[in-house]
Every structure is written in structure tokens, then in C-alpha cells.
Amino acid sequence: MEEGFIPDVTRANGKGYIHSIAIDAVIFGFHDRQLKVLLLEYKSTNLFALPGGFIMEKEDLNNAATRVVTHRTGLKNIFLDQFYAFGNYSRYDPQPLKTIMTANGITPGDKHWLLGRFITVGYYALVDFTKAVPAPDGASDNCKWYDLNKLPKLMLDHKVIIKKALECLQVSLDQKLTGFNLLPEYFTMGELQNVYETILGKKFLRAAFQRKMLGLGILERVSKKFTGKAHKAPYLYRFVSAHKA
Amino acid sequence: MEEGFIPDVTRANGKGYIHSIAIDAVIFGFHDRQLKVLLLEYKSTNLFALPGGFIMEKEDLNNAATRVVTHRTGLKNIFLDQFYAFGNYSRYDPQPLKTIMTANGITPGDKHWLLGRFITVGYYALVDFTKAVPAPDGASDNCKWYDLNKLPKLMLDHKVIIKKALECLQVSLDQKLTGFNLLPEYFTMGELQNVYETILGKKFLRAAFQRKMLGLGILERVSKKFTGKAHKAPYLYRFVSAHKA
DNA sequence: CTATTATTGTAACAAAATGTTACAATAAAT
DNA sequence: ATTTATTGTAACATTTTGTTACAATAATAG
């Protein structure tokens, strides 16, 4: 049975799910020198939203996030990090969900569990743009990549959630070398530099960037990439986590 | 009315609180070259726990955390940072709370809201040990400082929560200069170095540490501290956030 | 086949940050 | 006045980072 934002019409009474808590996923991809975010568009409404979901009664919080991201991207073993719980009272607004439910043929009572106040736990995922296969859920028209700089109008506080996710990504890029998760297995130094420059919003000098990355001892030089262009072919590298002592 | 872990007997039915979500606070202090954590001991049980609480129906999540920490320490304007939401199913164990409630003369039914599964949002606070006045809540005997290295047996996964809080504190010390929040307004360079060494678990060379700290341009030299010992008196410094451009 | 073009990899040097040693300054005790 | 313990910082060494320059090279143009 399809798992989606509206969990399953047979469970519309909330049975099987923990109430008042949701998870939302900011799924980042990288393409064309741009950071992308995966968004859902809801049927017959003009509402865009982050992929999200609810926690099942006996499910670990982090597993709920993994489940959501796996379903939306078709990918397993995704890099996923919990970054913040959003719980301002001001984010409570039943209207968007009421609209979505109505558009899906459900007429909820005012006490419907999905129309109550929710605290949402934010996760960000880093995926290989070329591998992900965006899949809408039962209540949404579309699941598509959007340029981080050209986001459509988003539901509730989802824009704030994305902003915070980006800030956390920027920190983790420096500290935990997470950037590789946005690239395919093999990549050039230039492509890696693009990822860093785009996410951190600043330029690096090529020589220093390369020296630093190679100095970390986590890159394996694999082969060359012949682009068909009139210049020296760059090397392809691979990320190897187990670096020698 | 006293706010505590058991919110208020008149609200024992859960009215007024969001169910399934709690907050827990790791309140750090610094004394005698040691990091301290504020813990509650529950009446007539051998259970120690982090100060925690629940979110009121119209209350912001972060405000709930502030409220709890303010009540337990008597302090306002506390440095407080949300660091992680703990939501493993394995942390669900109604027994400890049932014991506490029984010891407080409450005999809850098995469906009592406090005996359900909770996801807790962890916060850590940094307070001036000399200013805080630990206060137990209605259901606890004691609210006391415990040495981080000599923690008593803790309820549920509270030890895991403290461990994660420390890891986040270590990162924020480097990045956000949060360490000053653990010291009184005026402090010596040696005291500051102690804080850094204790939290990060490593030694720094005095000369380099001092040069680095002064180089940040966030310390104002105020006066001297005459300790009564037979040696040069150290300067007292003050943290000034607004450093000149 | 050679010269040209665009880009890569890295050496070489400069500058800044950090690590280390040493020593003068000084508050209190002797 | 001398000694003791500790502080503040200068001076130098080492490491890291910033910058410039140049050889290497894949494709193209002549």
C-alpha cells in the first residue's frame, strides 16, 4: 500500500500513527551547478510542500524519516541527518491540509487528527541527483526537483525548514565531509569544487582546494575523464571513507 | 502553581498539554574544573532524571524548554540550544514513570497519557554555576548538580541524551564561542582555558590559547584579580559580543 | 603534423595561523 | 631584599593556507 502524506485512507482516523508529531525531509540534490530540493505539489491546489510523513506507533523516529525519503526517491542507503524540531505554535494552521484532503475527496471533521497542531522533526538528505527517481504520493500530482533559488510558494513554514536545513548542511560540509553524497560515485575535482562553492556560496582557489582535498587522504584517483573538449582531461576520483592510518 | 515533571495533578488527564512529545534539558554548569549536570531525584525511588516537561497546547516548543530550565535554575536569559529529538521506540518504557506516580500517591490507569510512548526533544543549557539555584519540582526530592564523570544511574535513555548533548556542546564551543555562558561575568584567562580543556577533554598550551582568545577581539580586559597567592595577579576579562568591525 | 586553445595538476613562493620556548613582570611570603 | 609561583607576551619554529606561475595534455584548426 502506498505510503504518503495522507497516510492511507483506511487509517484516516489516525490509528497506527503517533499524533501531533510529523517528520519533514529536505532532500537535496545537485545538478547544473545548482542545489535542488525535492518538492511535492498537491492535486488541484497550488500548494507545494516538503515530503513528509508520520511516525508509526512502534517505529523509530529516524526510521520514519528513512522510510519517507526512500519512498520519494527510490533510493536506499541514503545520507540522512536529523537537524531540528520545529514547534512554534504559529506553525499550526489546519487550512492547507484541509484543502488537500478536500481535493482528495475526504471531508474531515474539525477534530480530525491531521488538522491538529503538529511538531515536525526536520531531516535533510543528500542524494545523487542522477540516481533518484522522484515519486509522488497518493495525494500529490508531482514530485519534482526545484532549484533552491527558485522555490515556489511553500506550505506552512516549509521555507523556514529548508533555510535551516541549508545552514546545517553548510556546517556539516566543513566538518563531516558530507558533500560527496551529492555526487555520483566518480567525479572530477572541478565537480567537487562546484558542490562546495554552491553550498557555501563562495569561491575557492583551485590550487588550494585541490591540495586540501587530496591532503585529507579520502580520495582515490581512479581514471581519467575524456570530455571531448580541447584541453587536458581531468582525473576521476572516488570517495574512500576508510583512509589509512 | 508549581510546574514540574508531573505537570499538575489537576491536569493529570493530559488536558492542556500536547501528548506524545516531551522536552528534556541537559543543564550544564562548571565548577572545580569539572562539568556538572543538573539532575532530579524522584521521591521514594532510586531514579534520577534530567529536568523535563511537556508542551502546552498553545506554547512554542522552545518556550517550553525555556520554561523548564528557568524553573529548575531560577535564572532568566539562559543560553539554550535545541540539539536532537530522541524517538527510538526502544525508549518507550512506562515503568519508571508509573513508579514515580505511585510514589506520589497517583495510581494511573494503563491508558494514562503519561504512560504512553514519548518522543523527547533535547536541549542543552549553559549556566553560571554560581548563580543557579537548583529547585526540585513537586514530584522530586532533589535537584542537584552531578559531576559529568560521576553520574548516578539515570532513567530511560537520559544517559544517551547527556552524551549527545556533550558532543554538541563540544562543537558549539569551537564554532559559536558558547563557553563563556558557563562562567561568571568576570573571569581569568586560566579559568576560561579550564572550561575549554574540560569540555574538549584535551590540554592547550597557555601561550597559544591566550593569543587565540585575545585575537578573537571579543574579550575586554577589565581589572586584576588579586588571589592572595604569591604570584602575579591575572587579569579579569569580560565577554563582549559586539566586537568592532 | 604542428600550432593553438582551454583546462588540469602541481610546484614554488608568500602570508597567516598555530605550536613551542623562553623570559620579564609581579603579588605575596620569607 | 630575596624567593616563589604564576601570568603576559615576545620570539622563533612549524604548519597551514593563499597566490602565482607554469608544465602537461586532449581536442581542434591550419
Side-chain angles (χ1 to χ4, degrees):
Chain A
M1 173 62 74
E2 164 72 38
E3 266 299 333
F5 189 63
I6 296 181
D8 170 348
V9 182
T10 65
R11 286 175 178 164
N13 59 0
K15 272 273 188 227
Y17 288 95
I18 300 181
H19 294 200
S20 306
I21 310 179
I23 70 105
D24 279 300
V26 182
I27 304 174
F28 286 113
F30 187 78
H31 186 63
D32 255 353
R33 300 177 159 236
Q34 291 294 337
L35 256 187
K36 309 280 186 179
V37 179
L38 210 54
L39 296 179
L40 294 169
E41 181 174 8
Y42 283 104
K43 278 175 183 154
S44 328
T45 73
N46 270 336
L47 293 171
F48 291 83
L50 289 170
F54 305 99
I55 301 117
M56 295 190 291
E57 267 176 7
K58 300 196 173 181
E59 182 181 40
D60 288 352
L61 176 63
N62 290 343
N63 285 351
T66 304
R67 173 170 54 79
V68 165
V69 175
T70 301
H71 277 136
R72 276 325 123 237
T73 62
L75 299 175
K76 290 194 172 181
N77 297 321
I78 285 180
F79 175 88
L80 188 65
D81 221 19
Q82 188 199 296
F83 68 94
Y84 200 74
F86 297 85
N88 278 354
Y89 181 66
S90 63
R91 74 186 302 281
Y92 170 40
D93 174 8
Q95 197 51 57
L97 207 50
K98 200 182 275 183
T99 306
I100 290 170
M101 293 174 82
T102 307
N104 279 270
I106 303 169
T107 351
D110 277 350
K111 297 259 165 110
H112 192 286
W113 73 293
L114 287 174
L115 301 183
R117 176 184 174 188
F118 275 85
I119 284 170
T120 196
V121 180
Y123 286 80
Y124 69 90
L126 305 180
V127 309
D128 178 352
F129 182 90
T130 63
K131 292 256 171 61
V133 183
D137 64 27
S140 55
D141 276 328
N142 272 314
C143 183
K144 280 189 187 159
W145 290 108
Y146 290 82
D147 197 301
L148 192 60
N149 302 314
K150 295 170 199 159
L151 294 176
K153 191 139 183 85
L154 291 161
M155 198 191 276
L156 301 174
D157 59 349
H158 287 195
K159 189 142 196 176
V160 172
I161 295 176
I162 292 175
K163 182 158 174 283
K164 184 112 183 170
L166 176 61
E167 289 166 9
C168 292
L169 170 59
Q170 289 171 337
V171 172
S172 85
L173 199 63
D174 269 351
Q175 301 203 318
K176 299 190 272 176
L177 305 172
T178 54
F180 301 97
N181 295 295
L182 288 165
L183 288 169
E185 185 175 5
Y186 303 105
F187 51 86
T188 67
M189 194 57 74
E191 287 163 355
L192 184 60
Q193 190 173 341
N194 269 336
V195 169
Y196 272 73
E197 290 182 342
T198 304
I199 294 176
L200 297 176
K202 64 178 175 184
K203 294 285 179 188
F204 294 96
L205 274 171
R206 204 168 50 83
F209 183 84
Q210 173 139 343
R211 181 180 48 198
K212 183 103 188 243
M213 283 297 153
L214 293 180
L216 292 173
I218 52 170
L219 292 185
E220 186 187 1
R221 187 172 283 178
V222 178
S223 62
K224 287 200 162 192
K225 183 187 186 185
F226 299 94
T227 58
K229 297 279 177 60
H231 55 73
K232 189 175 178 179
Y235 286 107
L236 283 172
Y237 296 89
R238 201 161 67 91
F239 175 71
V240 286
S241 55
H243 52 288
K244 298 144 198 162
Chain B
M1 173 63 76
E2 165 72 40
E3 266 299 333
F5 189 62
I6 296 180
D8 170 349
V9 183
T10 66
R11 286 175 179 164
N13 60 358
K15 272 272 189 228
Y17 287 96
I18 301 180
H19 294 199
S20 306
I21 310 178
I23 69 107
D24 279 299
V26 182
I27 304 174
F28 287 113
F30 187 79
H31 186 65
D32 254 354
R33 301 177 159 235
Q34 291 294 335
L35 257 186
K36 309 280 184 177
V37 180
L38 208 56
L39 295 178
L40 294 169
E41 180 174 9
Y42 283 103
K43 277 174 183 155
S44 327
T45 72
N46 269 334
L47 293 170
F48 291 83
L50 289 169
F54 305 99
I55 301 117
M56 294 190 291
E57 267 175 7
K58 300 196 173 181
E59 182 181 40
D60 288 352
L61 176 63
N62 290 344
N63 285 351
T66 304
R67 173 171 52 80
V68 166
V69 174
T70 300
H71 276 137
R72 276 325 122 241
T73 63
L75 300 174
K76 289 194 172 182
N77 299 321
I78 286 180
F79 175 88
L80 188 65
D81 221 21
Q82 188 199 297
F83 68 94
Y84 201 74
F86 298 84
N88 278 354
Y89 181 66
S90 63
R91 75 186 301 282
Y92 170 39
D93 175 10
Q95 197 49 61
L97 207 50
K98 200 182 277 184
T99 306
I100 290 171
M101 292 174 83
T102 308
N104 280 270
I106 303 169
T107 353
D110 278 349
K111 297 257 166 110
H112 192 285
W113 74 292
L114 287 174
L115 301 182
R117 177 185 173 187
F118 274 86
I119 284 170
T120 196
V121 181
Y123 286 80
Y124 69 90
L126 305 180
V127 309
D128 177 351
F129 182 90
T130 63
K131 292 257 173 60
V133 184
D137 64 26
S140 54
D141 275 327
N142 271 315
C143 183
K144 281 189 187 159
W145 291 106
Y146 290 82
D147 198 300
L148 193 61
N149 302 314
K150 294 170 198 159
L151 294 176
K153 192 139 183 84
L154 291 161
M155 200 192 273
L156 302 174
D157 58 351
H158 288 196
K159 189 142 196 175
V160 172
I161 296 176
I162 292 175
K163 183 158 174 282
K164 184 112 184 170
L166 177 62
E167 289 164 10
C168 292
L169 171 59
Q170 288 171 338
V171 172
S172 85
L173 199 63
D174 270 351
Q175 300 203 318
K176 299 190 271 175
L177 305 172
T178 54
F180 302 96
N181 295 295
L182 288 166
L183 289 169
E185 186 175 4
Y186 302 105
F187 50 86
T188 67
M189 194 57 74
E191 287 162 355
L192 184 60
Q193 189 172 342
N194 269 337
V195 169
Y196 272 73
E197 289 182 343
T198 304
I199 294 177
L200 297 176
K202 64 180 176 186
K203 294 286 179 187
F204 294 95
L205 274 171
R206 204 170 48 86
F209 183 83
Q210 173 140 346
R211 182 180 47 199
K212 182 104 187 242
M213 283 298 152
L214 293 180
L216 293 173
I218 53 170
L219 291 185
E220 186 188 0
R221 187 172 282 179
V222 179
S223 62
K224 287 201 162 192
K225 183 186 184 184
F226 300 94
T227 58
K229 298 280 177 59
H231 56 73
K232 190 175 178 179
Y235 286 107
L236 282 172
Y237 296 89
R238 202 162 68 90
F239 175 70
V240 286
S241 55
H243 52 287
K244 297 145 200 165

